[in-house]
Amino acid sequence: MIFSNRTETYERTFGPLHLWQPKKRHRRPRAVTIPESAPPLVKLVFGEMARQGRRYDDIETASGVRRASIKAWRRKNKPGLESLEAVLNVLGFDLIPVPAFAVLPTKIAPDLATLSTKLETTMPEAWAAIVSFAASQQLAREAAARKLAAIDAAQALH
């Protein structure tokens, strides 16, 4: 017999899974455990599922990755990059490659070290923040260029 502490099931219309707060009836111990021998990113997936109280069905619906595949990551299978990224995204994480300090261009390495010290973070966290900021700025520039092009096209018609 399966007991659920939820009165509803996640649907994509609810928005991002990591922001969805289901209605709860009562509290019970978490069902998702963290596998001991799994790779670190798989441990992160199961740890976040447990922390956020997410069920396999919710993750499957939001990410498109089959429940059986996610469960198999515990012992049998290693996740593919696309599947792992999809599951991490619905849990509120981005998978960003971070260069090692040794391969950073020598011109920016000291500045990045100074920045990470000022931000009180590690260098990988500072690098991830920079990449995220740069990506959002690029998207904002592209959106602004599209809006300006639409305004110019509308003015050309008048």
Side-chain angles (χ1 to χ4, degrees):
M1 183 174 203
I2 298 174
F3 294 99
S4 176
N5 63 341
R6 300 209 182 137
T7 59
E8 61 184 327
T9 301
Y10 173 79
E11 296 175 16
R12 287 183 184 223
T13 57
F14 295 151
L17 178 66
H18 66 278
L19 298 177
W20 178 60
Q21 296 296 320
K23 297 174 186 167
K24 295 183 179 184
R25 283 190 274 184
H26 57 82
R27 200 174 158 96
R28 70 181 182 103
R30 68 180 188 213
V32 177
T33 57
I34 302 169
E36 300 259 337
S37 62
L41 288 174
V42 173
K43 285 183 180 182
L44 174 64
V45 166
F46 289 108
E48 278 302 302
M49 285 176 65
R51 188 182 70 78
Q52 294 180 22
R54 301 298 179 205
R55 299 181 303 181
Y56 289 104
D57 292 337
D58 299 336
I59 300 296
E60 178 182 24
T61 302
S63 69
V65 178
R66 303 276 319 232
R67 173 189 177 136
S69 296
I70 298 169
K71 288 184 109 175
W73 293 353
R74 296 179 151 281
R75 291 184 185 88
K76 298 180 195 174
N77 301 345
K78 292 184 179 177
L81 182 60
E82 290 177 357
S83 298
L84 184 60
E85 188 173 20
V87 171
L88 285 171
N89 285 341
V90 300
L91 291 170
F93 285 79
D94 288 325
L95 190 58
I96 300 173
V98 178
F101 186 74
V103 297
L104 283 174
T106 55
K107 289 182 179 179
I108 69 166
D111 294 333
L112 186 57
T114 303
L115 179 62
S116 66
T117 303
K118 285 182 181 178
L119 295 174
E120 297 178 356
T121 64
T122 63
M123 285 192 47
E125 290 171 338
W127 182 259
I130 291 168
V131 169
S132 178
F133 177 75
S136 65
Q137 290 298 307
Q138 181 61 33
L139 292 173
R141 281 192 293 273
E142 290 172 5
R146 284 192 302 274
K147 287 178 184 177
L148 289 173
I151 291 170
D152 290 345
Q155 287 178 351
L157 292 176
H158 294 317

